[in-house]
Amino acid sequence: MTGKLEGKVAIITGASAGIGEATAIALASVGATVVLAARRGDRIQALAERIEASGGKALPIVTDVTDETQVNNLVAKANAELGRVDILINNAGIALLGTIEAGNSSEDV
């Protein structure tokens, strides 16, 4: 795949489903090499295979973004294998049920 992001490397957290998965496919379709980060290794591996089957480039790295050591490892592996990181799509999230007004930023997830 070639396009306006040819030669760029993008890390996408939460890439195993939903918006993260769609973003990875979209960025790969315009030439970016995508680093797929999520906890579900089987899902990001399958996504990497789909992207590569379509002519794109993808590197799946199992990462839990709530663990700083794993996040540091993600960036180190991306740099080691791809030489750079140009774009970060920090999409990983959790679902805390309740109203925003009642939200507790110290809530353990």
Side-chain angles (χ1 to χ4, degrees):
M1 295 181 179
T2 60
K4 60 185 170 185
L5 294 182
E6 187 70 32
K8 301 293 184 185
V9 175
I11 292 177
I12 303 145
T13 67
S16 63
I19 293 169
E21 178 181 17
T23 300
I25 292 167
L27 292 177
S29 75
V30 292
T33 297
V34 292
V35 180
L36 309 171
R39 294 176 297 166
R40 296 180 286 184
D42 57 329
R43 300 218 30 185
I44 57 174
Q45 182 61 45
L47 177 57
E49 291 169 6
R50 284 178 33 219
I51 288 169
E52 290 174 354
S54 297
K57 298 175 191 166
L59 173 64
I61 301 175
V62 174
T63 307
D64 180 343
V65 298
T66 67
D67 181 333
E68 186 175 353
T69 300
Q70 289 188 41
V71 173
N72 289 334
N73 182 59
L74 166 67
V75 175
K77 280 186 175 181
N79 279 317
E81 294 197 30
L82 303 171
R84 62 193 287 165
V85 174
D86 301 295
I87 302 164
L88 171 63
I89 306 296
N90 202 14
N91 171 70
I94 56 168
L96 299 175
L97 302 177
T99 65
I100 195 164
E101 293 85 4
N104 180 351
S105 63
S106 66
E107 188 172 12
D108 190 15
V109 290

